[in-house]
Amino acid sequence: RIFDGLKVLQDNCIHISEGKIARIGKDLNAPGDAVVFEGTGCTLLPGLFDSHVHVLNTGGLKKSLIFGVTTVMDMGTNPEFLAEKKKEQAAGMADNRSDMVSGGMMITAPKGHGTQLGIPVQTIEKPDKAQAIIDICISTGSDYIKIIYDHALGFPTISKETLSALIDAAHKRKKMAVVHVATLQDARDAAESGADGLAHIYSAPESDSEFGRLAARDNIFVIPTLVAGESGGNVPGRKAIISDSRLAPYITPGDIAILDQSLSQMYGSTSNFYPVAERAVHELRNADAAILAGTDASDYNFGLMHGISLHRELELLVHAGLTPSEALASATSIPSRKFGLMDRGRIEKGLRADLVVVRGDPTADILATRDIIAVWKNGVQIDREAYRMAVARQKAEASRNAIGRQTASESGLVSDFEGETTTSRFGFGWAVMTDKVIGGKSTAEFKIVPDGANGSRGSLYISGEIIPGNQDSFAGAAFYAGKAPMMPADLSSKKEICFWAKGDGKKYQVRLYSMRTGGVPGINAFTAGSQWRMYSFSIASFNGADGRDFVAILFTAGPGHDKFSFQIDDVQIK
């Protein structure tokens, strides 16, 4: 069976040559030297699109491809990272990951939504600055323009006049404008201002069937991101994807830790609003407005994951009223058309061989998209088996690390570094953490050295280099308090973080990450002088944290450093 992006074809064979679809037909004869893939009982799909992600590292792109997503539309990233990925794509060096098309830097109000995420953004206060801001975004690689206009999350937002000026300035440079909205009035304002597309659908406690007709009339596409709304509302059943036997072998322990949490822990619950969002999608579909499948997956949005979450989004779109074929089109032919990527998104002679084979018939049962047998990018088949085996090894290692671990040690001691390894008394343990998670290039490493505080046997020596160019540059050693990275621990009985430090005389930071603050940590500073010194900070001093959803503490160099080295010892959370 072949679904070409719009409909099921009567043809049942395709021939791929030089990365493109060379022939489509009924029972084609294979050339003598061809590699034949037998797909009886299966369905061939175009490579899938996720039309709303935030990509901050190559790992997210590789993960997406494993789950059949061959192209992602990024809605806000680091421009240096974007330039690097574009260069590699243009050189044909990206067949092992999804292609990335991006809005580059988001545009928002000063202190508006997006400024808290630790990635470069552009801020604007007045309409007369619109063209200059748009030109900066384009000069740093934006393929289209992403604008934040949100009256629901509690952040400052731009005025409608500024929104209109930004959209007009984008159109003057022949760039599409995609507007992040949250309420029905936001969506109306964006439509009236000439937006080409909406990122998210309104989820305020009201709905309006007229908006669907407005979007259809003005040719505005909508990326509902129902899976993000579901995570924000902590909707029952959303975690079922973790245990789906068709996906589970490819889901890492780190993925599980993130999928197990929810956006409601970051921004507050919107459970009363999710039915409104679902109803809005139904009204858009009835009005024949363009609906694009997207997830809002990123490294900082809990409950969402690159690649994996798109399959849940397709399920939710069908639940909201789309047919399975319409949902498949929302992740193939429709985004390719709306974003002008006409070389992909369909199965047609001459187009790129970005393809996915699934067992069963997803045009009848949308859950069949999860049963992936093979993925091709530019005609190159992806080695999913190697990825599955790597995930199995990670799970085995995580299981071994979890044996004998407690939620917290009785004394509060994390590590005294007296042995040969960085053993911790509870939690997942120690790992390098750098700004590479948000697109930076800083480096760090650590090791046990025979020089501890108070004459003890050992301490943790942390060294590396801060490489400028990121809005938040950092590198150091992190202790993850949960059973896996990014999995929280309940340390509400603990009141302070204590440790000893010494080093090169520079100022360093200790950062506390919690679920409620997402990727934005509470920070305290300390000086690593030439002699050992004990430091103690109350947990409440880290932006009011209370330890209930404690994720990690990071000992790090930061902006203003170059090469650095310091030591820590006798780390306690007590």
Side-chain angles (χ1 to χ4, degrees):
R1 183 182 301 102
I2 298 175
F3 176 79
D4 71 352
L6 294 169
K7 62 186 182 304
V8 174
L9 302 180
Q10 294 303 308
D11 303 302
N12 65 352
C13 296
I14 72 165
H15 175 206
I16 301 170
S17 179
E18 297 181 351
K20 297 186 181 298
I21 299 170
R23 293 186 295 160
I24 307 174
K26 191 78 171 176
D27 299 323
L28 294 177
N29 292 321
D33 60 348
V35 175
V36 177
F37 186 92
E38 174 57 52
T40 300
C42 302
T43 302
L44 182 68
L45 304 170
L48 303 174
F49 281 66
D50 188 333
S51 291
H52 188 141
V53 299
H54 295 273
V55 183
L56 301 175
N57 60 68
T58 306
L61 295 170
K62 290 181 177 180
K63 191 185 303 290
S64 293
L65 189 57
I66 291 295
F67 292 94
V69 178
T70 54
T71 302
V72 299
M73 314 310 297
D74 174 83
M75 291 292 166
T77 190
N78 185 309
E80 290 188 2
F81 173 77
L82 175 60
E84 179 182 287
K85 297 306 112 179
K86 280 187 167 185
K87 184 177 180 180
E88 291 170 355
Q89 286 171 192
M93 300 166 57
D95 286 345
N96 66 339
R97 65 177 195 246
S98 298
D99 269 6
M100 177 183 181
V101 184
S102 179
M105 289 187 288
M106 296 181 284
I107 303 175
T108 189
K111 298 184 179 180
H113 178 53
T115 58
Q116 84 279 20
L117 300 177
I119 57 176
V121 299
Q122 287 292 314
T123 60
I124 183 171
E125 292 185 81
K126 298 180 179 179
D128 61 0
K129 303 295 184 183
Q131 194 65 66
I133 294 292
I134 293 295
D135 290 347
I136 290 171
C137 290
I138 295 171
S139 70
T140 56
S142 296
D143 298 303
Y144 45 88
I145 303 301
K146 167 73 178 299
I147 305 167
I148 305 293
Y149 187 71
D150 185 321
H151 287 86
L153 285 178
F155 294 91
T157 197
I158 61 176
S159 67
K160 185 180 178 182
E161 291 73 22
T162 300
L163 173 65
S164 296
L166 285 167
I167 294 172
D168 289 345
H171 290 167
K172 184 176 180 180
R173 299 292 189 251
K174 302 188 184 305
K175 296 289 184 181
M176 288 198 309
V178 181
V179 183
H180 163 117
V181 298
T183 70
L184 176 57
Q185 190 59 54
D186 290 344
R188 287 174 177 157
D189 288 350
E192 291 170 2
S193 299
D196 299 283
L198 303 183
H200 309 299
I201 188 59
Y202 53 86
S203 55
E206 57 179 326
S207 184
D208 181 11
S209 58
E210 181 59 34
F211 181 77
R213 291 187 284 272
L214 173 64
R217 184 197 71 192
D218 292 349
N219 201 29
I220 299 169
F221 63 81
V222 180
I223 312 166
T225 62
L226 287 176
V227 71
E230 180 187 48
S231 178
N234 208 11
V235 176
R238 68 176 184 81
K239 297 181 184 178
I241 197 165
I242 296 174
S243 57
D244 190 309
S245 61
R246 295 162 290 193
L247 298 173
Y250 303 89
I251 301 178
T252 70
D255 297 338
I256 293 171
I258 293 174
L259 289 166
D260 198 45
Q261 309 308 314
S262 70
L263 282 172
S264 62
Q265 294 168 293
M266 295 173 65
Y267 298 118
S269 177
T270 58
S271 57
N272 295 332
F273 297 165
Y274 181 78
V276 177
E278 190 175 72
R279 187 161 63 250
V281 171
H282 183 72
E283 291 164 352
L284 287 164
R285 185 261 179 188
N286 287 345
D288 201 27
I291 297 170
L292 280 62
T295 64
D296 207 8
S298 73
D299 292 313
Y300 49 75
N301 276 343
F302 295 118
L304 307 170
M305 181 53 61
H306 293 291
I308 303 164
S309 292
L310 185 71
H311 296 278
R312 177 63 172 168
E313 181 71 13
L314 294 175
E315 179 186 4
L316 294 176
L317 288 173
V318 171
H319 191 267
L322 276 66
T323 67
S325 291
E326 289 169 342
L328 292 171
S330 78
T332 54
S333 58
I334 297 175
S336 74
R337 173 168 52 86
K338 287 296 182 179
F339 283 98
L341 300 173
M342 303 308 291
D343 62 342
R344 67 194 80 179
R346 290 161 293 134
I347 295 177
E348 183 178 306
K349 182 179 178 180
L351 299 190
R352 282 173 38 149
D354 290 358
L355 303 165
V356 183
V357 173
V358 300
R359 186 177 286 106
D361 182 4
T363 67
D365 176 10
I366 197 62
L367 297 184
T369 65
R370 303 177 181 190
D371 204 351
I372 298 172
I373 296 175
V375 178
W376 288 264
K377 167 89 181 298
N378 281 326
V380 177
Q381 186 171 353
I382 307 307
D383 191 348
R384 298 183 80 242
E385 178 59 16
Y387 190 88
R388 185 196 65 76
M389 292 176 64
V391 171
R393 289 192 294 271
Q394 288 183 44
K395 288 179 176 176
E397 179 66 20
S399 179
R400 287 192 294 272
N401 287 342
I403 294 174
R405 293 294 172 89
Q406 306 171 39
T407 55
S409 65
E410 194 69 26
S411 67
L413 180 65
V414 173
S415 298
D416 57 14
F417 308 111
E418 297 296 281
E420 295 181 357
T421 63
T422 54
T423 302
S424 59
R425 299 294 179 90
F426 67 95
F428 178 80
W430 293 87
V432 167
M433 182 191 287
T434 75
D435 54 24
K436 289 180 181 178
V437 299
I438 55 172
K441 297 179 180 179
S442 300
T443 62
E445 60 182 5
F446 59 69
K447 61 183 178 180
I448 302 291
V449 295
D451 173 21
N454 300 311
S456 62
R457 274 193 308 175
S459 63
L460 188 66
Y461 179 85
I462 306 165
S463 61
E465 183 177 7
I466 297 295
I467 299 176
N470 210 48
Q471 181 167 318
D472 182 23
S473 299
F474 61 90
F479 165 70
Y480 291 100
K483 291 183 178 180
M486 305 312 296
M487 182 178 289
D490 184 358
L491 302 185
S492 54
S493 65
K494 308 301 181 184
K495 302 303 178 186
E496 60 182 342
I497 296 171
C498 303
F499 61 95
W500 290 75
K502 81 169 191 175
D504 53 13
K506 297 176 181 177
K507 283 191 174 182
Y508 291 92
Q509 296 176 344
V510 55
R511 301 183 173 196
L512 189 155
Y513 292 83
S514 65
M515 295 299 298
R516 238 160 304 178
T517 58
V520 184
I523 299 175
N524 279 295
F526 65 95
T527 300
S530 60
Q531 302 297 318
W532 283 108
R533 177 182 170 186
M534 197 271 279
Y535 289 90
S536 178
F537 299 103
S538 70
I539 289 176
S541 69
F542 293 90
N543 284 348
D546 60 14
R548 284 180 297 172
D549 53 358
F550 198 114
V551 173
I553 49 175
L554 169 65
F555 297 87
T556 180
H561 285 237
D562 41 30
K563 291 185 178 180
F564 65 88
S565 63
F566 64 102
Q567 293 163 250
I568 58 172
D569 198 7
D570 292 336
V571 178
Q572 293 179 285
I573 305 173
K574 63 181 185 178

